């Protein structure tokens, strides 16, 4: 008011100024507290955006360290837009990692027109990335250490209804498990060493040209993504297993181990060692049996059988080369595994839809009745009840009750515990009846070799890396019958517009009459 004096005006101005300062102080305080006490409520039915306890523990550890982690997604758009939602889902996940790690983890999405274009080169230069980049690769970087994972590994995929342009249906989101395991690898001080035995015609970790792609599995997945150190080893007489080896892998031996080598493996387990053995079947299993290896494994309640498992109901198409080209037909010896143990860490997260294929597998007899009470053995995977162990393959491919073993038959098993007179921690042993398809298809990663990877993680005492559940979105699609579709069409196209027109005419006539 004009009647107010200078003192009154200054008083009002001071009060308003103080209120503004207090308001700004409250805003700053709220933002400071929220940045240090971040909290977000996930209201989705499937808890889609919530991280698991193991992930939160890792992020708490990372947030207290000085190290920083960078993730760069080289997103290559496709013509049907199949991966746009996948990138968005991944971005939401990484934002949660960034926030809960207090910005120790940062990420960037680089959209490129083609691999090798300017976008890739600029991002590689910006983040000093040395790795070779492919379509939709995700680069994890901590200092000079890099890990590369493809975005396809983040999602479960179904190709049955892919359509003419081969766009897959994304059935589950495995991003948290992949990101957490890769960050865990980058954060560890010493890599876990996997020793591949040599001298028995085993698959080599350096064999990148072989039909089973063990080299791609060992170097491309175990080393590049999982962070293990892989190297070949031999077992000279009296030397035993090298002391720096954490897990011994015997990958499909074609010749038997001698008694000295078996003794070295026994001594290794007695000291708390961990061993993975993958076997093969087929003609060589009967022509050149492996008595020393079979006896060694039988002492732990896992006895390989000289047969090949055939499972016609679960057989899959296999491409064969003929004189006129390639032909696809079902192979009884190449099938999808039917069931898994739901309690053991290796297979506890596998549901009924989990796709694990085996080809030319031998069956395993699992029996722990004669084991020491401190030892345990369980079956990890089995074929269906319609499968059987064929003794006379390939001459006979039909079930013979008097000779063949009826299903379900064990295809994988695990044993663990403290051996009698043990001088170390508990031993761990995993045996798989197939060494071909467990590593096959690594380049395409469909389906990913989770049975093999989880077995190695369990043997390496990294159960926390396989404890994260994949997120499976609930199918909320509404399927209408033809009658219901016609009803909805008639209501939306005819009835509702007719009602709107009738209401308008009524209002017009009413106002005109007034």
């Amino acid at each position: 008011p004009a009647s107010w004096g200078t003192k009154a005006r200054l008083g009002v101005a001071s009060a308003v100024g103080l209120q503004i300062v207090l308001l700004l102080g409250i805003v700053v305080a709220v933002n400071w507290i929220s940045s240090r006490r971040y909290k977000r409520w996930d209201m989705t039915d499937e808890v889609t955006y919530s991280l698991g306890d193991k992930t939160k523990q890792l992020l708490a550890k990372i947030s207290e360290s000085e190290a920083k982690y960078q993730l760069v997604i080289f997103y290559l758009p496709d013509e049907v837009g199949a991966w746009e939602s996948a990138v968005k889902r991944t971005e939401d996940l990484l934002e949660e990692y960034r926030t809960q790690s207090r910005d120790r983890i940062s990420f960037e999405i680089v959209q490129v027109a083609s691999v090798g274009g300017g976008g890739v080169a600029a991002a590689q230069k910006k983040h000093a990335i040395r790795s070779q980049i492919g379509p939709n690769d995700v680069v994890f970087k901590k200092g000079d250490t890099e890990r590369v994972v493809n975005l396809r590994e983040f999602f479960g995929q179904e190709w049955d209804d892919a359509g003419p342009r081969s766009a897959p249906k994304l059935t589950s989101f495995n991003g948290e498990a992949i990101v957490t395991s890769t960050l865990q690898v980058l954060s560890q001080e010493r890599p876990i060493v996997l020793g591949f035995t040599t001298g028995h015609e085993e698959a080599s970790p350096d064999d990148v040209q072989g039909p089973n792609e063990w080299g791609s599995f060992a170097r491309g997945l175990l080393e590049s993504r999982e962070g293990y150190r892989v190297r070949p080893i031999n077992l000279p007489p009296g030397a035993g297993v090298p002391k720096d080896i954490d897990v011994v892998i015997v990958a499909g031996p074609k010749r038997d181990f001698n008694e000295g080598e078996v003794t070295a493996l026994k001594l290794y387990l007695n000291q708390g060692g961990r061993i993975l053995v993958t076997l093969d079947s087929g003609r060589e299993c009967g022509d050149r049996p492996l008595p020393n290896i079979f006896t060694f494994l039988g002492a732990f309640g896992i006895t390989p059988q000289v047969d090949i498992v055939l499972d016609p109901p679960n057989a899959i198409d296999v491409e064969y080369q003929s004189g006129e080209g390639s032909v696809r037909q079902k192979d009884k010896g190449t099938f999808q595994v039917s069931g898994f143990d739901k309690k053991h860490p290796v297979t506890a997260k596998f549901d009924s839809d989990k796709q694990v294929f085996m080809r030319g597998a031998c069956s395993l007899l699992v029996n722990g009745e004669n084991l020491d009470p401190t030892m345990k053995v369980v079956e990890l995977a089995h074929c269906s009840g319609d499968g059987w162990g064929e003794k006379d393959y390939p001459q006979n491919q039909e079930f013979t009750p008097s000779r063949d073993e009826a299903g379900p038959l064990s295809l994988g098993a695990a044993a663990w515990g403290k051996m009698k007179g043990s001088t170390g921690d508990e031993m761990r042993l995993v045996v798989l009846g197939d060494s071909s398809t467990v590593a096959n298809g690594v380049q395409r990663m469909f389906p990913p070799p989770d049975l093999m990877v989880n077995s190695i993680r369990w043997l390496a005492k990294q159960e926390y890396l396989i404890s994260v559940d994949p997120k499976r979105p609930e199918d909320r699609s509404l399927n209408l019958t033809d009658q219901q579709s016609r009803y909805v069409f008639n209501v939306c196209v005819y009835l509702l517009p007719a009602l709107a027109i009738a209401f308008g005419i009524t209002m017009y006539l009413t106002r005109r009459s007034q």
Side-chain angles (χ1 to χ4, degrees), residues 263-403:
T263 300
L265 294 179
K266 289 181 180 178
L267 180 60
Y268 176 68
L269 288 179
N270 190 60
Q271 296 172 344
R274 287 96 71 186
I275 299 178
L276 170 66
V277 179
T278 66
L279 301 171
D280 283 310
S281 187
R283 289 184 176 181
E284 70 274 8
C285 208
D287 295 342
R288 293 187 293 178
L290 312 173
N292 290 337
I293 283 290
F294 285 13
T295 302
F296 164 69
L297 298 177
F300 299 97
I302 307 172
T303 305
Q305 303 299 296
V306 183
D307 61 10
I308 179 172
V309 177
L310 306 180
D311 195 353
N314 294 294
I316 63 174
D317 291 338
V318 176
E319 186 171 336
Y320 296 93
Q321 297 295 327
S322 63
E324 300 179 355
S326 60
V327 178
R328 294 187 66 86
Q329 64 183 37
K330 290 190 179 297
D331 178 11
K332 296 179 182 180
T334 304
F335 56 89
Q336 181 173 336
V337 177
S338 295
F340 305 94
D341 183 83
K342 300 303 296 181
K343 295 182 179 180
H344 195 276
V346 170
T347 52
K349 300 299 181 181
F350 290 180
D351 56 26
S352 58
D353 296 329
K354 182 63 180 178
Q355 291 184 316
V356 174
F357 300 140
M358 289 195 176
R359 180 181 64 215
C362 69
S363 65
L364 307 173
L365 179 61
V366 181
N367 186 352
E369 294 181 358
N370 298 325
L371 292 181
D372 190 271
T374 59
M375 298 289 296
K376 295 181 180 179
V377 60
V378 298
E379 172 190 273
L380 295 179
H382 61 79
C383 70
S384 72
D386 295 321
W388 71 90
E390 178 59 56
K391 303 285 187 179
D392 301 314
Y393 185 87
Q395 293 81 5
N396 182 34
Q397 298 187 35
E398 299 297 332
F399 177 62
T400 306
S402 61
R403 180 166 174 77

Side-chain angles (χ1 to χ4, degrees), residues 117-316:
V120 171
Q124 285 183 298
K125 182 177 180 181
K126 176 181 177 181
H127 299 284
I129 296 174
R130 303 183 307 275
S131 302
Q132 184 177 358
I133 303 302
N136 296 317
D137 274 346
V138 183
V139 179
F140 293 74
K141 186 175 177 63
K142 175 192 175 186
D144 295 331
T145 306
E146 298 177 2
R147 295 286 180 267
V148 180
V149 183
N150 195 271
L151 191 61
R152 289 180 178 270
E153 300 180 43
F154 284 47
F155 297 87
Q157 305 163 44
E158 285 185 359
W159 292 83
D160 295 339
D161 301 323
R165 295 188 178 183
S166 298
K169 177 183 178 182
L170 305 182
T171 58
S172 63
F173 183 61
N174 311 311
E176 183 182 349
I178 298 293
V179 174
T180 297
S181 62
T182 307
L183 291 176
Q184 178 67 42
V185 168
L186 290 177
S187 65
Q188 64 188 15
E189 297 180 358
R190 172 189 173 273
I192 293 173
V193 182
L194 309 179
F196 281 73
T197 60
T198 59
H200 316 88
E201 299 181 31
E202 302 99 324
S204 170
D206 297 318
D207 181 14
V208 296
Q209 301 296 330
N212 300 328
E213 299 183 17
W214 267 93
S216 299
F217 174 74
R219 301 299 183 185
L221 193 150
L222 295 180
E223 278 197 337
S224 297
R225 192 191 83 180
E226 297 294 319
Y228 298 113
R229 180 174 296 169
V230 174
R231 69 181 183 89
I233 61 171
N234 54 28
L235 304 174
V241 176
K243 294 186 180 298
D244 65 327
I245 298 299
D246 297 293
V247 178
V248 171
I249 298 179
V250 183
K254 300 297 186 296
R255 292 192 292 109
D256 201 11
F257 281 51
N258 59 44
E259 294 184 359
E261 293 170 326
V262 170
T263 300
L265 294 179
K266 289 181 180 178
L267 180 60
Y268 176 68
L269 288 179
N270 190 60
Q271 296 172 344
R274 287 96 71 186
I275 299 178
L276 170 66
V277 179
T278 66
L279 301 171
D280 283 310
S281 187
R283 289 184 176 181
E284 70 274 8
C285 208
D287 295 342
R288 293 187 293 178
L290 312 173
N292 290 337
I293 283 290
F294 285 13
T295 302
F296 164 69
L297 298 177
F300 299 97
I302 307 172
T303 305
Q305 303 299 296
V306 183
D307 61 10
I308 179 172
V309 177
L310 306 180
D311 195 353
N314 294 294
I316 63 174

Side-chain angles (χ1 to χ4, degrees), residues 17 42 111 227 439:
D42 189 349
Q111 183 171 330

